[in-house]
Amino acid sequence: MCYQQHDDRPAADRGAAYRHGSLKHVALMTLGVAAAPISAWADGVSVTPWGEGWALGGHAGKAIHETVKSGEAFNPFAWEFKDYKIVSTGLQKELVDFGGYSKIYTEANVSYVWGKEEYYEAFMTPSISWERFMWDDTIDTTASVGVGMSYTSEASKLDDSGKRWMVSMIFELEGQPAAWGPWSIYGRLHHRSTAGIINDGDGGSNIPSLGVRYHFD
């Protein structure tokens, strides 16, 4: 003989309890579904071997008046150029691959600046990228942003800070057409500033540039 337990609670309380249990069940299922791709992404994280992920690039550009803070430095139609030109070469190394979705790089650059002044600059800038775009089969595209340190051979009036050591930032978009093999082209905005942390000073500079990069593997 089978006995069914009788619930003496009012109908409203039974309905609320049922809805609470259902919501809890749905929430747990949602968390489980969301955790699956996150777990798969985490399982795909790998450290790039030392002998892989190297690239050598070179770019050239000219300083602009517009600032990153105002956002106008990202708008080519608003640029007003200064009498400062730059040529630069940089050695890039891929460090970590987050399942092909994102990567961490570091890059060491040496630059020559001339025009109103003449001096050299060296900067080391780690960066993080986004690697997945729907057109990657045609043009393998990478968008990245990096923060590091920069040093100039003299305190330049371009930076208007009186300092040689400054924070270095790069904003870059790189495209590697399938037909180009190991070669790619990139556009970059190189930003130097005190960032409010270098002796609490002010000043900075922005230089957009175009370049090409050779990937060794």
Side-chain angles (χ1 to χ4, degrees):
M1 183 178 293
C2 178
Y3 294 94
Q4 183 175 1
Q5 184 177 0
H6 181 68
D7 192 341
D8 294 327
R9 292 178 297 174
D13 292 345
R14 293 198 302 271
Y18 176 77
R19 288 193 298 272
H20 178 73
S22 298
L23 289 173
K24 183 178 180 181
H25 182 66
V26 171
L28 288 173
M29 289 184 63
T30 302
L31 287 173
V33 171
I38 293 174
S39 176
W41 177 82
D43 290 341
V45 175
S46 61
V47 176
T48 306
W50 179 253
E52 300 176 9
W54 291 92
L56 181 66
H59 59 268
K62 194 172 183 180
I64 57 175
H65 287 275
E66 289 69 29
T67 67
V68 167
K69 186 176 181 179
S70 69
E72 292 181 340
F74 300 100
N75 179 10
F77 299 103
W79 289 347
E80 182 182 350
F81 290 99
K82 294 184 176 183
D83 187 21
Y84 286 87
K85 303 177 184 67
I86 187 173
V87 290
S88 181
T89 183
L91 184 63
Q92 184 188 73
K93 174 69 174 76
E94 177 188 314
L95 300 178
V96 181
D97 183 351
F98 295 97
Y101 289 89
S102 177
K103 295 181 180 181
I104 292 178
Y105 299 89
T106 191
E107 184 176 335
N109 275 260
V110 176
S111 306
Y112 170 61
V113 181
W114 77 100
K116 193 171 183 179
E117 297 177 282
E118 184 176 342
Y119 59 93
Y120 293 91
E121 177 191 359
F123 60 93
M124 175 75 76
T125 311
S127 63
I128 186 166
S129 72
W130 180 254
E131 303 280 338
R132 291 294 181 93
F133 294 88
M134 63 176 60
W135 53 82
D136 279 343
D137 289 341
T138 304
I139 301 178
D140 189 9
T141 304
T142 300
S144 58
V145 58
V147 180
M149 294 299 297
S150 169
Y151 178 81
T152 54
S153 58
E154 65 179 60
S156 170
K157 294 178 181 178
L158 173 63
D159 296 315
D160 193 26
S161 67
K163 298 174 177 62
R164 296 185 181 184
W165 282 103
M166 299 185 80
V167 172
S168 169
M169 294 187 68
I170 56 173
F171 305 88
E172 183 179 290
L173 186 64
E174 179 182 11
Q176 187 173 3
W180 285 22
W183 291 95
S184 66
I185 187 171
Y186 62 94
R188 165 180 292 188
L189 178 67
H190 179 205
H191 170 76
R192 262 174 56 91
S193 73
T194 61
I197 61 176
I198 308 296
N199 296 328
D200 295 324
D202 295 319
S205 61
N206 295 287
I207 303 179
S209 58
L210 286 173
V212 293
R213 182 175 285 136
Y214 182 84
H215 300 260
F216 292 100
D217 54 7

